Amino acid sequence: MTEQETRRMRRARFEGLARVVVEPLHRYLLRRASTETAEDVLSETLLVLWRRLDDVPGLGDDVTPDPDDVLPWCYGVARGCLANARRADGRRLRLVERLIRTQQRAPEEAAEHSELHAALDSLGAADREVVRLWAWEGLAPRQIAEATGSTPNAVSIRLHRAKARLADRLGRKNAARPGHKSDEGRSGR
C-alpha cells in the first residue's frame, strides 16, 4: 500500500468517525459550556481524535463506525479537552487579576525602586522574564524552565548571569563586603 493510499484510508476513517460523533459531542459540550467554548473544545477534541485515530476503540476500517463502540471513548476525550479549557480560562483570569493588581501598585513601587526597574529594563527580554519569575513569582529554576520551555540548566545559567549583571548595574558587585578587609588572609611578605 502506498503512502498516499494510507493517507486516504486514514482520512476516510476520520471522516466516518467525525460524521458519527460531531453532533453528539457538540450537544454534550453545549450542555456543559457556552457556545463559544463548546465550539472551541469540539475543535480541540476533533484534533485529538485525528492524532489518536488508531487508539479509538471500536473504530475499524469501516467507513461508518458503530456509535455505541466509539462514542464513549470520544466523550472521554471531549471531557478532558473541556477540563483543559477550563483550567486555561482559570489561569488567564488569575493572570489578568494579578496584572491589574500590579498596575494599581506600579506607580508607587516605581518611585521607590526606579533604579532597580531601570536595571531590569537594561536586561534582555528573556533574562528579564527569568529574573521576574524567580524574584516576583518565587519559582525555582526547574519551574521557570517548565514555564519558559527551557532546560533547568539553561535557566540556572541565565538566572546566574542576569543576577550578576543586575548587581553590577546596581553597583553592589565591586563594593567592599562588610567585615572583610581587602588584604585579609594575605601574608605581609
Side-chain angles (χ1 to χ4, degrees):
M1 183 177 296
T2 68
E3 186 177 327
Q4 193 173 24
E5 290 171 336
T6 304
R7 277 189 287 200
R8 260 189 261 139
M9 271 187 55
R10 182 173 174 80
R11 183 176 177 169
R13 287 176 65 212
F14 177 74
E15 288 172 352
L17 176 66
R19 276 192 296 276
V20 169
V21 301
V22 165
E23 284 187 41
L25 290 178
H26 193 244
R27 285 192 309 265
Y28 170 85
L29 293 167
L30 282 173
R31 286 190 291 270
R32 288 159 176 77
S34 69
T35 303
E36 297 83 22
T37 302
E39 289 172 2
D40 288 345
V41 172
L42 180 60
S43 296
E44 182 65 27
T45 302
L46 290 174
L47 182 62
V48 171
L49 292 178
W50 170 256
R51 284 189 300 225
R52 299 195 54 202
L53 191 62
D54 294 332
D55 298 337
V56 178
L59 182 62
D61 291 332
D62 302 336
V63 176
T64 306
D66 184 2
D68 291 336
D69 293 339
V70 295
L71 264 174
W73 192 82
C74 294
Y75 281 134
V77 171
R79 185 174 175 267
C81 290
L82 182 59
N84 288 342
R86 287 182 174 153
R87 279 191 297 275
D89 285 343
R91 284 191 300 271
R92 260 189 302 278
L93 287 174
R94 286 189 300 277
L95 176 62
V96 168
E97 289 169 0
R98 190 172 22 185
L99 288 173
I100 289 170
R101 284 192 308 270
T102 302
Q103 290 299 331
Q104 291 169 346
R105 289 188 305 230
E108 61 195 43
E109 288 178 3
E112 295 174 25
H113 304 293
S114 59
E115 187 179 342
L116 174 61
H117 286 286
L120 267 173
D121 289 341
S122 71
L123 296 176
D127 290 344
R128 202 171 36 245
E129 180 66 9
V130 166
V131 169
R132 286 177 175 165
L133 287 170
W134 171 76
W136 294 354
E137 308 308 326
L139 298 181
R142 178 186 52 76
Q143 295 166 316
I144 295 170
E146 188 175 331
T148 61
S150 298
T151 65
N153 190 41
V155 167
S156 293
I157 292 168
R158 183 176 293 279
L159 182 60
H160 175 75
R161 290 178 179 165
K163 287 180 351 185
R165 284 193 297 275
L166 280 175
D168 190 39
R169 284 183 177 85
L170 293 172
R172 295 183 185 148
K173 185 175 186 178
N174 297 325
R177 293 185 198 154
H180 295 281
K181 297 178 186 174
S182 58
D183 63 347
E184 187 176 312
R186 295 185 182 175
S187 80
R189 295 186 207 162

